[in-house]
Every structure is written in C-alpha cells, then in structure tokens.
Amino acid sequence: MTTTAPARTTGPLRPLELLGADTLLDADERDIAATVRRFVETRLAPEVGNWFESATLPKELAKEFGALGVLGMHLDGYGCAGTNAVSYGLACLELEAGDSGFRSFVSVQGSLSMFSIHRYGSDEQKEHWLPRLASGDAIGCFGLTEPDFGSNPGGMRTRARRDGSDWILTGTKMWITNGNLADVATVWAQTDEGVRGFVVPTDTPGFTANPIHRKLSLRASVTSELVLDNVRLPASAELPLARGLGAPLSCLNEARFGIVFGALGAARNSLETALDYAASREVFDRPLASYQLTQEKLADMTLELGKGFLLALHLGRLKDESGVTPEQISLGKLNNVREALAIARECRTILGASGITLEYSPLRHANNLESVLTYEGTSEMHLLSIGRALTGHAAFR
C-alpha cells in the first residue's frame, strides 16, 4: 500500500479550511453560508459590542433578517424560503459567529414561533401570521418555560379554561426570548383536556411582558417574563392540531437543531480571533503563535471544532433525508455547546488581559454560551435523554 503525503500549504489555514469543510457542502449551501457571513461581518459585527454593553437589540433588525431570508427559512410557503436543514444550520452558525443573541432571535422566530403555527396552526392563523413573521414585519415569541418549570414543562401552572366559546389564560412564563419585542406569542397552558397551545397577540388585554435586566449573558438579546392575567381569547386562538406536551417539545427540537450548528459559530469566531491575535502579538521577541504551548491549544481547539462540525453536518443530512430523533439532537447540542464553551474560554487565555474587553469576542461568546448550555435543554437533561435511549430507563422520572 502506498500513501501520499498531505500537500504543503502556502500560508496559515483557517480552522474549518483545515477540515476541508466546504467540500462537504453543495453550491447552494455554500452560497447561503457566505451570504449570511457577509451580513454578519458588515452589518452586525461592527455594532455587537455596543449592543452587548448596552443590553439592547434594535427591533428594526427583524426586517433586516427578513430581507436576508433567514426567518423561517427552513419552512415551506407563506413567504418562507423552504431551504434544507443543513442550509438553515449553516445560517445559524454564521449568525452565532456574530453573537448568540442574533441566532437566538432568528431561532425563536423561525423554529419556535413560526414552526408552532406552521405545524399546528389553522389555515387562518398561518395566513395571518406567517408571511408577516417571515418578512420581519411582525416578531414572535414562545411561552413554555415557567419560573419553577424549565426542565419539567409538564408541570406548568399556566391554565386555560373555557368560558363559553372563549378561553381565559392565567399564568406566568419566564426567560422568554423576544418577549418585549413580540407582536404575537405562542403560549402553552394546561387545560382540562391536557396541554394546549394558543396564538396570543401581545396587545390582548391582560398580557404583559416585563424585561429581565442585569443579565451577564445574552445581553444583545431581549429576555422577558410574560404575565397572563385573565387573558381572554376566542376559540380561534387555539392551535387546532397541538395536542399534549409533545407539540411544544417538537418545536424545541427544531430550535435545538439550530443550536447544534450555531454554537460552532461562536467557537469558530473565538478561535479565528485567537489565531489572529497570536500571530500579531509578540512575546519575548517572537509571535505568540510560534510557541508550542500556544500551538497545542490551537490544534486541540481546531480538532474539537472540526469534530463538532462533522457531527452537526451528519445530523443535518439525517434530518433532510430520513429524519432525526430527539436523542440524536441531544447528542449534537450536548457535545457542540459544551465544546464551544471550552473553546471560547481557552481562546480567552491566549488573548491574556486583552481578552476581558469587548474589543475581542471570545469572552463575550463564552458568557453567551453559558446561557446556551442551559436553555432548550440543560446538559444534564440531554445526558439523561441519551441515557434513556441507551438503557431504556428514564432516570429523570
């Protein structure tokens, strides 16, 4: 057997170039990734430090995301692009390379708010809301998590009771992305017939969104508490096809898939930032990048980033071809968020004291990823989901 030595390179490679990642994508997928990357680099990256520091996300970005075509891009009809799952994942990767807040906005809009209406809504609900949400003319949020019920949403206390032909909703939802920006909320509640979903315009009397302040993470993102105080809704507000807890959980699986790719964007940007800094920073009259300990860090992080990308791409191909299971999504989210957080932290060490400023991205990414590690399924819950698949025993019950 003969072997061929790897071709020598003429200059430094970027992390995913070393993997040859682009060769695994088709032309449309590469074009979509490149388009979103340009938007992030030219429109979002110059401002993200200011938005993170001031804890704001301009509402007008919704229409810009709509014009870019990323809102509900993996859905069909109603002004949605109808792309494959891999293209949606790559868009999430590029958005999160800018900031987790950008990917969170797009993910909540498309994979939670829009997906819940697209999958479980009536024709009237779809025709009224989906084109506006796809264009960014309206903003959506998703009310499932409660103050005492995150990992156990089946215990939710929010109730919906019938009053003639109407529904009356009472309860509180917590940690709701886009809550104070939203024009419509998909709200999940207990009823006498089990868990049901409702499409709630946020100007309905009794509906209040309260912003959550003093966050140390996801600062370039709006996070809210939703209060429903005897919110009266017509029967037409109920999602007619949503029956039981499986409906909101299926929406979460859509959003988690975006995270599998998205977290890699934060990791890639952190690693590229560290590479650029190490190449220009001189220590003892030599570039920091020339030291063995620095190269060990860079090589290990590139390896984990590459493995995470291959895992995400594999899950994306499965989703497009035969479908992906919740346990497989758990594998992807658990690994990729955990490794992305480790990469962001390690990159900060290469930057030294400079790494604690907003001039550089790794610590901002690390702070954001602390939230991503927890939301839409904590690492512990994903471990137990995988454990249940392997053993047949539900350890969290």
Side-chain angles (χ1 to χ4, degrees):
M1 184 177 80
T2 60
T3 59
T4 302
R8 293 181 63 86
T9 59
T10 58
L13 292 172
R14 308 312 273 173
L16 290 178
E17 287 178 340
L18 182 59
L19 178 69
D22 275 359
T23 66
L24 304 174
L25 308 175
D26 66 31
D28 287 342
E29 292 163 350
R30 290 194 295 270
D31 287 346
I32 287 170
T35 298
V36 179
R37 185 182 307 130
R38 283 193 297 270
F39 178 79
V40 170
E41 291 175 349
T42 58
R43 174 66 177 99
L44 303 179
E47 298 292 339
V48 67
N50 295 328
W51 294 334
F52 188 90
E53 187 169 26
S54 62
T56 57
L57 185 73
K59 189 170 184 177
E60 58 266 25
L61 284 178
K63 291 186 178 181
E64 296 183 50
F65 286 135
L68 185 64
V70 295
L71 299 179
M73 61 185 286
H74 56 308
L75 304 178
D76 292 317
Y78 307 98
C80 302
T83 66
N84 66 358
V86 169
S87 294
Y88 170 59
L90 293 169
C92 288
L93 187 155
E94 297 299 339
L95 288 165
E96 196 147 356
D99 192 84
S100 299
F102 306 143
R103 196 266 311 144
S104 288
F105 181 97
V106 169
S107 178
V108 167
Q109 181 94 340
S111 290
L112 293 179
S113 175
M114 293 177 68
F115 180 82
S116 63
I117 296 171
H118 192 276
R119 174 78 174 269
Y120 298 109
S122 66
D123 288 342
E124 179 185 4
Q125 290 166 342
K126 294 175 187 177
E127 290 165 5
H128 180 76
W129 286 111
L130 291 179
R132 297 172 60 196
L133 291 166
S135 66
D137 290 323
I139 296 174
C141 68
F142 187 85
L144 177 63
T145 299
E146 297 188 358
D148 296 321
F149 296 95
S151 295
N152 179 25
M156 72 179 75
R157 295 195 181 102
T158 298
R159 294 286 305 179
R161 60 179 176 83
R162 294 187 185 273
D163 184 35
S165 62
D166 291 346
W167 288 96
I168 308 294
L169 271 64
T170 303
T172 302
K173 301 296 183 179
M174 195 65 170
W175 309 117
I176 308 303
T177 298
N178 298 350
N180 278 83
L181 301 177
D183 301 287
V184 62
T186 299
V187 176
W188 301 91
Q190 296 279 10
T191 74
D192 290 340
E193 295 85 34
V195 173
R196 296 291 184 268
F198 299 89
V199 178
V200 185
T202 58
D203 59 0
T204 305
F207 182 99
T208 305
N210 301 312
I212 296 173
H213 297 295
R214 305 184 72 187
K215 296 187 298 180
L216 298 175
S217 178
L218 282 178
R219 292 178 57 81
S221 177
V222 173
T223 312
S224 310
E225 172 196 48
L226 306 184
V227 179
L228 300 106
D229 183 10
N230 291 310
V231 172
R232 180 177 290 273
L233 299 170
S236 60
E238 182 183 359
L239 291 170
L241 301 181
R243 292 291 181 267
L245 193 59
L249 294 183
S250 71
C251 301
L252 288 178
N253 271 328
E254 287 294 307
R256 288 169 183 152
F257 173 78
I259 293 172
V260 174
F261 275 88
L264 299 174
R268 188 196 69 192
N269 181 258
S270 296
L271 183 49
E272 290 179 344
T273 300
L275 279 162
D276 291 341
Y277 182 88
S280 61
R281 174 75 160 93
E282 292 214 347
V283 181
F284 299 111
D285 303 319
R286 288 170 51 192
L288 181 58
S290 70
Y291 287 92
Q292 290 182 1
L293 287 177
T294 302
Q295 291 192 8
E296 179 187 30
K297 291 180 179 182
L298 296 171
D300 280 340
M301 290 188 288
T302 296
L303 178 62
E304 294 307 321
L305 176 64
K307 291 191 305 189
F309 182 83
L310 292 175
L311 173 58
L313 184 60
H314 173 64
L315 294 176
R317 296 296 184 217
L318 284 179
K319 195 173 193 303
D320 282 325
E321 293 166 8
S322 58
V324 65
T325 68
E327 294 82 10
Q328 290 169 329
I329 295 291
S330 287
L331 283 170
K333 182 178 186 288
L334 175 66
N335 181 80
N336 287 5
V337 178
R338 188 163 62 184
E339 295 305 322
L341 179 56
I343 287 170
R345 288 171 174 165
E346 188 78 293
C347 287
R348 208 290 305 166
T349 70
I350 293 175
L351 297 171
S354 296
I356 71 167
T357 73
L358 280 172
E359 184 179 354
Y360 298 96
S361 65
L363 189 55
R364 172 170 54 82
H365 284 309
N367 282 1
N368 288 336
L369 288 166
E370 290 286 355
S371 291
V372 180
L373 189 72
T374 300
Y375 71 30
E376 295 179 28
T378 65
S379 291
E380 291 83 358
M381 291 306 297
H382 289 299
L383 283 165
L384 296 179
S385 175
I386 295 165
R388 178 178 60 185
L390 294 172
T391 68
H393 295 287
F396 48 83
R397 295 244 179 229

